[in-house]
Amino acid sequence: MRRASNRTRVGVERTPDGRRLVVSRRISAPATAAWDVLVSVADWPDWGPSVSGVRGVDGRIEGGSRGEVRVAGVWVPFSIEACDDESRRWTWRVAGVPATGHRVEPVGPDRCAVAFEVPVLAGPYAAVCAVALRRIERLAKRRARG
């Protein structure tokens, strides 16, 4: 039996927010663990290569959450546009600009696909997302182990 690849994939897809560059990776962790990593602001600096801090939100994000994220030493405002625990997808605006979408899809009891939906004009950001996906996998595996 051929094992599913954990390599990062990049392609263009139609998302609820229009055509986006989607950077995704299948990881060996339950979808619930990966989702928890994505929505817990305490984890953002651990998986986001460009994020060194978050303030204004404690715990988990939800639709309408507002705060600031520290990027390159500067605090930038953000707002969570949508956050749906059932579909496991959230989107945000950073400095008033539509930014990445984030989603988790189960592909088995202990595997899932994590994806970033990147505005096409921000294509170079795909490299940052690829690093983030590897870090999310590490954190989600750790979270699943307890």
Side-chain angles (χ1 to χ4, degrees):
M1 181 167 91
R2 190 169 167 239
R3 188 168 173 230
S5 171
N6 280 20
R7 70 183 175 86
T8 301
R9 298 167 192 247
V10 180
V12 176
E13 295 179 17
R14 183 157 306 282
T15 73
D17 296 315
R19 286 177 48 97
R20 293 284 183 112
L21 186 65
V22 175
V23 184
S24 65
R25 181 180 182 89
R26 287 189 176 202
I27 67 172
S28 299
T32 54
W35 178 245
D36 192 48
V37 168
L38 284 178
V39 298
S40 173
V41 295
D43 290 322
W44 289 6
D46 293 331
W47 61 259
S50 58
V51 174
S52 61
V54 181
R55 65 184 182 196
V57 176
D58 292 321
R60 297 167 58 95
I61 57 165
E62 56 187 35
S65 294
R66 293 183 176 279
E68 293 179 307
V69 63
R70 189 175 177 110
V71 179
V74 177
W75 289 101
V76 182
F78 73 84
S79 61
I80 304 301
E81 296 294 296
C83 184
D84 185 351
D85 286 327
E86 189 173 323
S87 68
R88 294 188 183 104
R89 182 175 182 271
W90 68 269
T91 60
W92 66 339
R93 287 182 170 267
V94 178
V97 177
T100 49
H102 309 72
R103 70 179 192 236
V104 177
E105 300 166 350
V107 293
D110 295 318
R111 287 187 57 76
C112 65
V114 179
F116 290 101
E117 302 166 357
V118 180
V120 175
L121 293 176
Y125 193 65
V128 174
C129 294
V131 172
L133 288 167
R134 290 190 299 273
R135 292 177 178 181
I136 290 165
E137 180 171 24
R138 178 179 41 80
L139 292 167
K141 283 180 176 180
R142 186 181 311 150
R143 182 140 310 149
R145 287 193 300 266

